[in-house]
Amino acid sequence: MTISLSGMHVTVDDVDEALAFYRDTLGLTVRNDVGNGTYRWVTLGTDTQPEIGIVLSPPHAGRSQEDGDALAALLAKGALGMIQLRCDDLDAMFDKIASASGVEVLSEPATQPWGVRDAAVRDPAGNMVRIEQA
């Protein structure tokens, strides 16, 4: 029996703004863009790992008002989980990310005590994004 990662969800307060970051800045490819009433989900991925999808969705999409409000409050605090990515040229990627609109730099590229060289930013919604050198 095997198990593998098929996808992850990233909660964002503005899907279009997040899409500009994940698609235009990071270079992910849109695989699906689905509307359901007043909400929208966008699934992105990479050519190198086509089996894994990253879904961007707002706090209230598919949730009760109460749960959406709680999730929105955590998002506003930057208290949701992070997304970890890997690239082949961290310095070039960091330069591109650091100049993008709505991005907060948390740490510039550096070798970490746990052995990886990475950098950290907050996406326009406040989620932490760590990118490591492949």
Side-chain angles (χ1 to χ4, degrees), residues 21-30 44-46 54 83 85:
F21 174 73
Y22 286 94
R23 180 194 58 208
D24 303 338
T25 303
L26 294 182
L28 300 180
T29 302
V30 174
L44 301 111
T46 67
I54 298 171
I83 180 171
L85 302 170

Side-chain angles (χ1 to χ4, degrees), residues 51-72:
E51 70 280 7
I52 300 174
I54 298 171
V55 180
L56 306 175
S57 64
H60 291 89
R63 297 177 183 89
S64 69
Q65 185 67 40
E66 181 181 358
D67 289 349
D69 290 349
L71 195 54

Side-chain angles (χ1 to χ4, degrees), residues 10 18 25 29 39 41-42 59 61 67 83 88 96 101 104 108 114 117 124 129 131 133:
V10 178
T25 303
T29 302
Y39 301 110
W41 291 262
V42 177
D67 289 349
I83 180 171
D88 59 0
K96 185 175 182 183
S101 175
E104 174 190 357
E108 294 187 8
W114 52 91
R117 184 166 183 273
V129 178
I131 302 175
Q133 177 75 43

